Amino acid sequence: QVQLVESGGGLVQAGGSLRLSCAASGSIRSVNSMGWYRQAPGKQRDLVATITSAGNTNYADSVKGRFTISRDNAKNTVDLQMNSLKPEDTAVYFCALTRTEWTGRGNPYEYTYWGQGTQVTVSS
């Protein structure tokens, strides 16, 4: 099992910055990627940014140039630096960890663990 604990959410004015942090604990092995997703009221959960164990990153178009994801493999943490925040960035942000697991027959598959979420509110 894997546990993910997020911190760093809050209320900020448009144009401001926030930094989210996520710490993973438990059975940390065969991790493929860690990342952040967000869900606004009445909307689906969308990708914000991910980073692989090798350091390859992927960002949603809406946050490119404003958000930066970073990861410390030794500490099993992933951070999201959010700059130039906009009201449309308001959402609950979820930390995610995806790793390879195996069926009873030894077939691999990907499984994603989720944190409990942290609220980010950007006022105009």
Side-chain angles (χ1 to χ4, degrees), residues 49-100:
T50 59
I51 184 167
T52 68
S53 299
N56 298 315
T57 58
N58 181 41
Y59 293 92
D61 288 342
S62 59
V63 307
K64 285 180 180 177
R66 300 188 298 122
F67 291 11
T68 303
I69 190 170
S70 59
R71 178 174 172 178
D72 187 327
N73 289 333
K75 296 182 179 180
N76 295 314
T77 59
V78 61
D79 291 348
L80 185 69
Q81 178 65 42
M82 304 185 294
N83 299 327
S84 302
L85 282 161
K86 304 175 181 180
E88 50 264 43
D89 293 318
T90 295
V92 178
Y93 284 69
F94 295 89
C95 178
L97 182 151
T98 300
R99 73 176 190 183
T100 300

Side-chain angles (χ1 to χ4, degrees), residues 105-118:
R105 294 187 173 185
N107 297 316
Y109 64 98
E110 283 201 332
Y111 186 84
T112 298
Y113 293 87
W114 297 94
Q116 79 284 358
T118 186

